[in-house]
Amino acid sequence: MLRELLDSMLPPGTRVVGGGSGLDREVTWATLLRTIPARTAIQRGDLLLFSVDLLSMREPPLSFSVLLELALEREAAGLAVIGPVPEPWGPLADEAGLPLLALPEGTSLADLANQIARFITARREALYEIERELQRRFQQAALAGEGLPAILRALAEVTGKSAWMEDAQGAPWPDLPSPPPSSPGQAERRAWLRRLPLREEAEPPVALFGPDAEGRVCLAGAVLLDRRPIGVVCLLSPSPKITERDRFAVAQATAACALVLLRERSLWSAEARVRGEFLAQVLRGELPEAEARRRARILNEPLEEPMAVAVFRAPDAEENAERLAEAIRRLTARFPRCRIQPMAEGVAFVFPPPGGEADLEAVVEGLRVELARALGLSRLAAGVGGVYAGPAGLSRSFREAVQSLQMVEALLGGDRALAYQRLDVYRLLYPLRESEALEEFYNQTLGPLERYDLEHRAELIPTLEAFFACDGNLQRTAERLFLHRNSLAYRLRRIQEITGMDLRRWEDCFRLQLALKIRPILRRSHERPGSGSDPRAGGGP
């Protein structure tokens, strides 16, 4: 870096006249300007050495702003000049962000160019040895079978700084050291990963974020699999000073993490194919009980333990299935008894029931919210089956979860989790949604009332739903609907006249309540603004 040259190599008395914000630019060589060169003579990373007189020797004379523009165009690292520096040059360099250094009188530019060249060559050799040593250390950690924790420990040891790993959404990587409570540039890191193009080169991209209000910076390296970033290795420095050793260490640790994850994925893929095919057969009930138990013993699958099944499905299910399955694996990696299997019906998540009095639906809902946030999904539906043991029990839980999932998508907006145990009478009604008998029963019972509401813009069906939701209590029903009791009494009389049913008779009330539950699950939609057809009204799931 130019700052390093200024501190350790340039002649004493060298001053920064302007462009101090660019002192972290990398210097790759020193170029002595004896004449104003063609553009191709200046290379990226060059430190340009010249005298003030050089510009006036040109015929016609060349302005400093033109030279500055040429240096910026060629991505030079900076300019070092000998001679009295005109006052306007400093502000121009500040504006360009390109360092302008004033060398002390008597400095030999030719000797200085040779010294800088030797310094850069020696430094490259030293850094190459450091890079090789770091590469060896991190590869050993990766190949020793200790995985990501060993690599992050090695990174912290060789740099003396805090190290951690995040996924592409900025969440801590499971089962690894936790990041500091706040780190510089967390949102910027996520945006940086999203902007990274598909990368062919072996060297992982590294970027610096910060400083924050406390002066800390975060050096981050993108972990690439299939040329795409799946996470980031982070190194926290308490000050803005980052050494080349730190940069090399992060790059090598990042490459080692990618190697570990690639090996894990390859091993998992081979085993997962066998286990996944078996689990899919069990969930669909395609294997005889005895055969399923025999294969479970061979594969060491815990089919005899009580397990529950949840099924997740997002919009564009086929496109999102693999992303969803991978996200579930990552979020549940600390629970080795869980199983994740993409299916035609959705992504199945097989898991042991949580201890204590934890509610299955609440557990799955928490995971669903995390998944939707991690994947940026606007909607994500989940159904939850019961807890059963054995192959037949697992298949039953899967069927229940699928039915609950279908209910969430069809009736509840497709953005929540629902347990099969909460379906109530819908367990019986939903499988009959295409039945002509169900349609006929509804038309005979509530059909006249629905037509009346449509023709007169009335609210009799919502009134009936509220009446049953309040267990027939007139005072509570009126309060719920913000009606006077006389207005409510009028509506209830009209309902009885139109349907021909008596709300004082239990059998008539049962028929009306059953029709209300049938209403939202029929294939044809009975919804219209204000119709109150939310299946959750009147006791729905």
Side-chain angles (χ1 to χ4, degrees):
M1 290 184 187
L2 184 53
R3 189 188 304 276
E4 187 178 352
L5 274 179
L6 183 62
D7 293 342
S8 61
M9 205 261 133
L10 294 180
T14 300
R15 296 179 297 110
V16 180
V17 177
S21 62
L23 287 175
D24 288 329
R25 290 172 179 261
E26 185 70 20
V27 179
T28 59
W29 206 246
T31 297
L32 175 57
L33 300 182
R34 291 189 171 89
T35 61
I36 298 301
R39 282 174 167 76
T40 54
I42 300 176
Q43 301 298 317
R44 180 178 182 180
D46 279 355
L47 177 61
L48 306 181
L49 309 177
F50 66 101
S51 68
V52 173
D53 297 336
L54 176 68
L55 301 184
S56 59
M57 291 167 56
R58 171 86 177 253
E59 187 58 41
L62 188 71
S63 69
F64 175 72
S65 60
V66 172
L67 177 61
L68 193 62
E69 183 180 344
L70 176 61
L72 285 172
E73 178 186 329
R74 300 302 298 170
E75 299 184 60
L79 303 99
V81 60
I82 189 168
V85 179
E87 188 174 337
W89 287 18
L92 287 172
D94 282 333
E95 184 179 348
L98 192 67
L100 174 63
L101 309 180
L103 299 169
E105 288 296 330
T107 301
S108 169
L109 294 181
D111 289 346
L112 182 59
N114 290 330
Q115 291 170 15
I116 293 175
R118 288 194 296 272
F119 177 85
I120 290 173
T121 301
R123 181 172 175 272
R124 284 177 181 169
E125 291 175 355
L127 290 175
Y128 177 68
E129 291 302 319
I130 292 173
E131 185 176 14
R132 287 184 61 188
E133 173 59 25
L134 291 171
Q135 185 180 40
R136 183 189 62 79
R137 177 157 186 178
F138 287 123
Q139 284 185 349
Q140 283 181 344
L143 298 174
E146 299 178 16
L148 301 179
I151 296 172
L152 291 180
R153 282 198 303 272
L155 178 59
E157 288 170 8
V158 300
T159 61
K161 298 177 174 66
S162 299
W164 72 95
M165 186 170 171
E166 301 171 351
D167 63 19
Q169 285 71 44
W173 202 274
D175 299 328
L176 290 180
S178 298
S182 63
S183 59
Q186 188 171 31
E188 290 81 0
R189 286 196 296 279
R190 291 198 300 270
W192 171 63
L193 287 179
R194 286 194 297 270
R195 291 195 303 270
L196 286 178
L198 291 177
R199 304 180 72 92
E200 296 289 353
E201 63 267 27
E203 189 71 18
V206 176
L208 186 66
F209 299 92
D212 61 8
E214 301 174 29
R216 304 177 305 165
V217 295
C218 177
L219 189 63
V223 181
L224 306 177
L225 278 185
D226 297 329
R227 302 183 297 156
R228 296 179 184 276
I230 65 163
V232 61
V233 171
C234 299
L235 190 70
L236 181 66
S237 174
S239 71
K241 189 171 182 179
I242 290 289
T243 67
E244 283 301 310
R245 183 181 177 85
D246 292 335
R247 290 181 179 274
F248 282 139
V250 168
Q252 295 302 325
T254 300
C257 287
L259 178 62
V260 167
L261 293 173
L262 184 62
R263 288 181 62 210
E264 287 182 355
R265 188 178 68 175
S266 299
L267 292 172
W268 179 87
S269 296
E271 181 180 356
R273 278 195 298 272
V274 177
R275 292 184 180 274
E277 290 171 4
F278 170 66
L279 182 59
Q281 288 177 313
V282 170
L283 292 176
R284 293 201 181 100
E286 296 173 349
L287 294 175
E289 188 88 358
E291 177 63 15
R293 293 179 189 278
R294 185 184 72 82
R295 295 191 192 181
R297 285 193 295 272
I298 295 172
L299 294 172
N300 195 28
E301 287 285 353
L303 292 191
E304 302 307 320
E305 299 179 22
M307 304 287 272
V309 180
V311 179
F312 295 87
R313 188 159 60 200
D316 302 320
E318 290 185 9
E319 178 183 335
N320 286 305
E322 194 52 48
R323 290 175 62 228
L324 185 55
E326 184 59 37
I328 297 174
R329 288 188 194 102
R330 190 167 62 249
L331 289 174
T332 60
R334 64 179 64 91
F335 306 118
R337 294 165 62 208
C338 297
R339 295 290 182 267
I340 296 94
Q341 180 59 35
M343 309 276 285
E345 297 85 350
V347 179
F349 174 52
V350 182
F351 63 105
E357 299 299 320
D359 181 1
L360 284 181
E361 183 177 295
V363 170
V364 174
E365 173 63 13
L367 177 58
R368 187 199 68 80
V369 170
E370 282 191 76
L371 289 168
R373 182 171 57 245
L375 296 175
L377 297 172
S378 59
R379 288 184 294 118
L380 179 61
V384 191
V387 179
Y388 309 104
L394 211 55
S395 178
R396 176 181 175 184
S397 184
F398 176 69
R399 292 194 303 272
E400 293 177 353
V402 170
Q403 186 169 336
S404 301
L405 173 70
Q406 292 171 339
M407 293 290 290
V408 170
E409 292 177 328
L411 307 181
L412 302 179
D415 194 37
R416 60 169 284 186
L418 178 65
Y420 180 77
Q421 283 73 13
R422 294 191 56 209
L423 292 184
D424 193 39
V425 71
Y426 288 100
R427 302 184 202 178
L428 304 176
L429 297 177
Y430 190 72
L432 302 175
R433 61 190 179 280
E434 298 183 13
S435 164
E436 292 183 4
L438 210 65
E439 180 92 13
E440 183 179 351
F441 176 83
Y442 176 83
N443 288 336
Q444 291 175 350
T445 309
L446 278 186
L449 204 59
E450 183 177 276
R451 288 191 292 275
Y452 183 89
D453 274 355
L454 288 170
E455 292 170 4
H456 297 85
R457 303 182 64 82
E459 299 289 334
L460 298 185
I461 287 183
T463 300
L464 188 60
E465 288 174 331
F467 176 74
F468 287 132
C470 295
D471 298 320
N473 185 296
L474 297 181
Q475 182 62 38
R476 287 194 306 157
T477 304
E479 291 172 356
R480 179 169 179 156
L481 295 173
F482 302 102
L483 290 176
H484 190 277
R485 285 193 59 164
N486 291 341
S487 299
L488 174 62
Y490 170 77
R491 287 192 184 184
L492 294 177
R493 282 197 303 274
R494 291 297 295 142
I495 289 171
Q496 293 180 111
E497 292 168 0
I498 293 168
T499 61
M501 296 190 188
D502 190 340
L503 293 176
R504 294 169 298 180
R505 295 183 65 228
W506 182 89
E507 184 175 348
D508 286 353
C509 287
F510 173 75
R511 286 172 60 83
L512 290 169
Q513 285 181 299
L514 185 59
L516 286 173
K517 290 186 180 294
I518 291 171
R519 185 169 185 258
I521 67 174
L522 292 176
R523 289 188 63 188
R524 69 182 180 87
S525 173
H526 295 281
E527 286 194 34
R528 66 180 181 84
S531 68
S533 60
D534 187 337
R536 288 167 287 190

